[in-house]
Amino acid sequence: MALRNIMEKGEACLAKHCRPVTEFNDKLHTLLNDMAETLDKANGVGLAAPQVGILRRAVLVLETNVPEGEEEYIIELINPEIISADGEQEGPEGCLSVPGVFGWVKRPERVKVRAQNRYGETFEVEGEGLTARAFCHEIDHLEGVLFTEQADHIMSEEELNEYYGFDGGDEE
Ligand code: CO
């Protein structure tokens, strides 16, 4: 596995519509393995292929809603589509491609996604809270949309300190 460079806002690849994955081959598996290593190193909760310069519909989301004592795990979503969404949450959202910036973003509380796995098999997965937020955020990346465009406003340092009382949130 190898680390990939994470592109930052302003790079053309972050503003493009991504094409479907059609070949579920070693090249895709290497990309997904590299993305997992890159996500882990960056301590993020999600990463989309265009963030590493690949304009294909592949994303990773870290499932953080796990029972006490169990490991968080990465969900690989190829050609993902949101098939249902309900409820509403609002809160700070960040992105590994927009380091240090958080925006106040409304998202559904629960989201169901249909996608393919790395072998091309179709499955459905549900997420809530941060996971639902990450599904939406990553799928937006595949349309060239960053959270800064979805945000009600970009949060000031005072606002962030007040919200978190600390030094940072999750980046996707
Ligand atoms: Co992002």
Side-chain angles (χ1 to χ4, degrees):
M1 294 209 287
L3 286 175
R4 305 254 177 150
N5 274 335
I6 299 179
M7 305 294 161
E8 294 193 2
K9 191 178 176 185
E11 299 267 3
C13 59
L14 293 173
K16 298 239 161 88
H17 171 87
C18 296
R19 291 189 297 156
V21 171
T22 53
E23 309 261 350
F24 296 83
N25 54 16
D26 284 351
K27 199 172 165 199
L28 174 68
H29 298 177
T30 300
L31 169 67
L32 294 168
N33 294 343
D34 289 356
M35 284 172 64
E37 190 178 344
T38 305
L39 178 61
D40 185 56
K41 176 90 186 303
N43 269 316
V45 295
L47 188 67
Q51 291 182 277
V52 296
I54 306 293
L55 295 176
R56 291 287 182 168
R57 303 184 81 80
V59 309
L60 306 182
V61 168
L62 185 68
E63 175 56 277
T64 53
N65 297 322
V66 293
E68 184 79 40
E70 286 185 25
E71 289 261 358
E72 296 177 344
Y73 57 93
I74 287 173
I75 305 170
E76 296 177 346
L77 302 162
I78 316 301
N79 302 324
E81 278 176 86
I82 292 175
I83 53 172
S84 69
D86 68 281
E88 191 179 86
Q89 57 175 314
E90 46 185 306
E93 192 168 310
C95 179
L96 293 170
S97 294
V98 196
V101 175
F102 291 86
W104 191 260
V105 185
K106 278 191 190 136
R107 298 287 191 184
E109 176 61 24
R110 277 170 301 278
V111 167
K112 190 190 273 188
V113 175
R114 182 179 296 144
Q116 286 165 286
N117 66 14
R118 60 164 64 200
Y119 306 105
E121 296 156 350
T122 300
F123 68 102
E124 290 179 7
V125 61
E126 287 181 45
E128 64 176 77
L130 179 60
T131 307
R133 179 179 286 285
F135 284 159
C136 298
H137 176 112
E138 301 314 328
I139 292 171
D140 279 352
H141 271 299
L142 304 181
E143 300 306 325
V145 173
L146 296 178
F147 79 94
T148 46
E149 294 161 59
Q150 307 282 33
D152 173 67
H153 64 278
I154 298 301
M155 296 171 75
S156 67
E157 208 164 313
E158 289 77 14
E159 219 179 335
L160 278 170
N161 286 338
E162 200 172 302
Y163 189 88
Y164 289 115
F166 84 76
D167 51 353
D170 295 307
E171 292 180 315
E172 297 160 39

